[in-house]
Amino acid sequence: MSGNFRHPPKLANWVVEHFLPASERPFLNGDFDEIYNDIFDEKGHGAAFRWYWAQIARSLPQIFFQYLSWSVIMFKNYLKTTLRNLQRHKGYSLLNIAGLAVGMACFVLILLYVRYEFSYEENNHQASHVYHIYVEHTKTDEIYRVRSTPVPLVEALHDEVPGIESYTRIDSFPKTLVSAENKKFYETGMVCVDPGVFDVFGFRLLLGDKKTALEKVNTAVVTEQIAEKYFGKENPVGKNLVLGSSLPIMVTGVIINHPPNTDIDPDILVSFKTAEELSGEDYTNNWLSQVLQSYILVPGEDSIENLEDKIEACFSKYRAKEGDDRILRVERLSRIHLFSVFGEGNFRTIQIFLGVGFLILLTACINFMNLATARSAGRAREVGMRKVVGARRKQLITQFLGESFISAVLSLVLALMLVAALIPAVKNITGQAIRFDQIGQPAIMLGLLGALILTGLLSGSYPALFLSAFQPAPVLRGMVKSGKKGAGFRKILVVSQFCISIILIISTFIFTRQIHFMRNKSLGFTRDQIVVVQNQGRTLRNVEPLKQALKENPNILSVTSSMMLPHRISMYNDVTWEGAPADENIAIQHNTVDYDFLETFQIPLIAGRNFSPDIPSDKRGATRDPKNAGNIILNEEAVKRFGWENPIGRKVIQVFGELRITYTVIGVVRDFHYSSLKNPIGPLKIFLNNRSPLGYISVRIKPQNVQETLAFMEKEWQQINTGYPFEHYFYDSVFERQYQSEKSLQTLFGYFSFLAVFIACLGLFGLASFAAERRTKEVGIRKVFGASSREVVFLLTKDFSKWVLLANIIAWPVAFYAMSRWLGGFAYHIDILRNWHVFFVSGVLALVIAWITVGYQAAKAAVNNPVNSLRNE
């Protein structure tokens, strides 16, 4: 070979380097290089290049065949070794696989939960192009948002704003009596909608024509469920449903039942022209009212900011010129369930659960690493022998990672069996319609694959790197002691495991105490022994005869009617007040009640007087003079916000566009919680209105003879409101449902905490068993020299106790920070510092669990006959 050495093509050379058997690589590679250079000198670069690739192409099938054969041989070898090790150490293998399986089952269940939450509105393929319009305005640096919009808004937007393809309004009915063919039921899922509802929400018609089904007055489309409920197997199209006592609505179509993963699920869709016909022009053309929700379909790719600008430009033509500071905003339908601007999304909960799932999976992986490193000496000779016969460290790392992945696969199979068994319990806790077959969805499969890879790498990485680093000479001379090299790392892992477990235990205790606090905190009104009867559709036009009849029963203490119940007052308007700075106003909640509201709910009056039947001016709208429209009662917070010291007789002015309506303050009630404890108490005003029918009738009764009292109430109801069923509930039951999501969170955290502790105990049990086995001779000698069984148990549990105590020191500040952040989501919550004993109890509980786990193995070692242990040594 003459001239300078020339390197062959890089890619071709890479194939030779990576796929030729190691034994043949130096010879063939050298021959190829030499011949390549000879041809290069004689015939040039092109000929040498073609020759080299021709040799590769000719040899490629054989190269790949040998490579695959060798890979299969190695895989069979790794698999055989893994199965032998699993069989040889059945106890440790069971602990490893069981721990991994439980951790992976928790992770899979959380994946199913998260995937279900993200699946909301997936049935609507245009959900990302559907926008909910809401109103936002700012009062004294506070932002107020309202879901409802003016009635004529979306119709004007559709006509004037380019790009809006369709729209619908949703005006919800109150709970209404619906009847057909001698069947009567109260329905809550009835709405008035525009014909565009089918395009906007993707509702699919089984019967009827979507272009004409909701075009006419007094027509409606119903779900399959409603059709079967009222008409059985008959075709409902063309038949009538009667709303209330006398409004006939003809069924013009049937849509398929809504999937469980949607927040838009009306059962009876009445044409919007019906609402217009019933309410008149004041309803249809009122740009100041905010009584319904508006949705638009915008198939284009406009940004939200650009779309809001277009909507604002249109709205500015119609809003009141003075005093109307409303701004229109939009949010995508596809994001509302998780990321609602009204703060009701579940994304925060999802983040918590994903974090918990990862921590539990990490705890399971720690078990594997712990036990693998602890058993290192048992495999030291195997590693030494493999290195003596030529195994490289890379091959040993591959072997140990392969064993880890095989264990992970076995654990995943067991985990899926656990998931199938646990899904009903999770459905019961969360209320979600998750199913086992949802595991086949791409997102879940990707998550499973990621969990499998993560588990295999995490659980096998340290053992692989640790064991493969053994040198053959000291190993074969017996100089590697049992597990000492990884002892420090094992301590770190045990501390990490118990840190996670203690954090979860503390979180569960804090969740429990906060929910107990919310359930039992005084709300400022009574909720016990109150029976609530909804005046469905306000069919009972005059409540007074029923009130008088009920008061004749000595078991009935008080009766009142109100627009809203005291725990959920959600309506508000803008007000200014006597002595307010110029042009300053605030948003204030309000409720409309009758004379007995404060007495029935036992809301204390701390200044002034209650409404009185003897004073006509107490009634809202008692006169037509907007400068003297009646009297009101305020709460303490409203008086505080107005800056008044003596509020009685002062004026509150309601701002309604350019209109100003003045009310006189006659009383002040003590602050009560009229919304969730997540929100601070805000200003409130109470109107009197005993003329118009109100939505709720509340009856405070004695705790004795409850069934007789209810029977009496039903009898009087039927006599006065004939034809309408008597439906009631006890008011205190509402509060059981109010914090259901927090209760579910607490329950799930309790289960996850138990499983995290269970997994940690599996690992601790294995380590304790190993430690007792390794120190058999030491225990025997100590017992020969007079050590008692109690001293031996203390000796074996001492180190583990130190690790758990260290875990407490690390876990407490982490849990304190995390729980403080969570409690920050509530305006009213427990004082975490005053609940310091929760941290102490959690730490003691973790320590006791560790003692029980380790103590069992220690006790077994302590009661062994020292003669047997020394003979075995």
Side-chain angles (χ1 to χ4, degrees), residues 446-462:
L446 190 62
L448 286 177
L449 180 61
L452 185 64
I453 294 173
L454 182 68
T455 304
L457 289 176
L458 279 179
S459 58
S461 57
Y462 184 81

Side-chain angles (χ1 to χ4, degrees), residues 255-309:
I255 59 174
I256 64 172
N257 291 330
H258 303 293
N261 55 338
T262 179
D263 292 319
I264 312 294
D265 55 355
D267 295 319
I268 303 175
L269 291 74
V270 180
S271 66
F272 198 80
K273 288 186 178 180
T274 306
E276 293 175 325
E277 181 79 11
L278 293 172
S279 304
E281 291 186 5
D282 289 343
Y283 171 83
T284 306
N285 300 318
N286 191 343
W287 283 89
L288 289 174
S289 68
Q290 293 176 190
V291 296
L292 49 73
Q293 296 193 50
S294 300
Y295 294 85
I296 55 176
L297 172 62
V298 187
E301 298 299 328
D302 260 0
S303 66
I304 285 181
E305 293 77 11
N306 191 35
L307 182 59
E308 288 177 341
D309 290 342

Side-chain angles (χ1 to χ4, degrees), residues 224 226 356 455 479 536 571 656 687 708 710 819:
E224 296 172 272
I226 292 293
V356 170
T455 304
M479 296 174 62
Q536 322 293 4
M571 296 185 69
F656 204 67
F687 295 109
E708 291 83 348
L710 292 176
M819 287 296 96

Side-chain angles (χ1 to χ4, degrees), residues 11 85 91 120 136 163 165 167 174 299 319 347 377 413 432 459 510 552 571 689 728 774 777 806 810 829 844 865:
L11 180 59
N85 279 310
Y120 268 71
E136 180 180 283
E165 181 178 292
Y167 69 90
R319 63 154 55 98
F347 188 66
V413 173
Q432 289 185 337
S459 58
I510 295 295
E552 293 179 4
M571 296 185 69
N689 187 344
H728 70 280
R774 186 167 59 87
K777 184 176 181 179
L806 179 60
I810 298 171
H829 55 76
V844 170
N865 190 329

Side-chain angles (χ1 to χ4, degrees), residues 473-525:
V475 165
L476 296 177
R477 287 201 299 267
M479 296 174 62
V480 174
K481 297 299 181 183
S482 183
K484 286 187 176 181
K485 191 173 180 181
F489 185 68
R490 289 199 300 278
K491 293 176 184 178
I492 295 173
L493 295 181
V494 170
V495 170
S496 301
Q497 275 187 313
F498 273 89
C499 273
I500 294 170
S501 301
I502 292 165
I503 289 170
L504 291 177
I505 293 172
I506 292 172
S507 301
T508 303
F509 279 137
I510 295 295
F511 284 146
T512 303
R513 296 188 71 82
Q514 174 63 14
I515 292 169
H516 181 268
F517 168 81
M518 292 188 296
R519 284 181 172 178
N520 295 279
K521 185 182 187 303
S522 173
L523 300 178
F525 57 85

Side-chain angles (χ1 to χ4, degrees), residues 622-634:
T623 70
R624 295 185 178 275
D625 182 5
K627 294 183 179 179
N628 185 22
N631 297 329
I632 58 172
I633 294 174
L634 300 177

Side-chain angles (χ1 to χ4, degrees), residues 64-187:
F64 278 115
F65 176 75
Q66 290 187 7
Y67 177 79
L68 290 174
S69 299
W70 181 249
S71 299
V72 169
I73 291 171
M74 291 303 297
F75 176 77
K76 288 172 64 178
N77 181 263
Y78 294 157
L79 180 62
K80 187 183 296 183
T81 304
T82 302
L83 295 177
R84 283 176 178 172
N85 279 310
L86 291 175
Q87 188 176 12
R88 186 179 302 121
H89 306 289
K90 294 183 181 68
Y92 293 104
S93 301
L94 181 61
L95 292 176
N96 265 337
I97 293 174
L100 279 175
V102 172
M104 293 179 82
C106 290
F107 188 75
V108 172
L109 286 170
I110 289 173
L111 274 184
L112 288 172
Y113 169 83
V114 171
R115 178 65 186 92
Y116 185 86
E117 287 292 310
F118 273 98
S119 73
Y120 268 71
E121 312 308 337
E122 276 189 355
N123 57 298
N124 182 0
H125 300 302
Q126 300 202 86
S128 60
H129 297 290
V130 174
Y131 297 87
H132 169 233
I133 304 174
Y134 63 94
V135 173
E136 180 180 283
H137 58 152
T138 304
K139 301 290 182 185
T140 58
D141 299 327
E142 288 190 48
I143 296 176
Y144 294 86
R145 296 184 178 94
V146 186
R147 290 183 173 86
S148 52
T149 57
V151 174
L153 173 67
V154 286
E155 199 167 17
L157 293 177
H158 181 255
D159 294 338
E160 300 179 28
V161 177
I164 297 179
E165 181 178 292
S166 189
Y167 69 90
T168 188
R169 291 163 285 194
I170 298 182
D171 193 356
S172 300
F173 281 73
K175 195 172 184 180
T176 304
L177 182 68
V178 178
S179 57
E181 301 179 357
N182 299 320
K183 296 179 180 178
K184 288 185 179 182
F185 301 97
Y186 281 116
E187 300 292 350

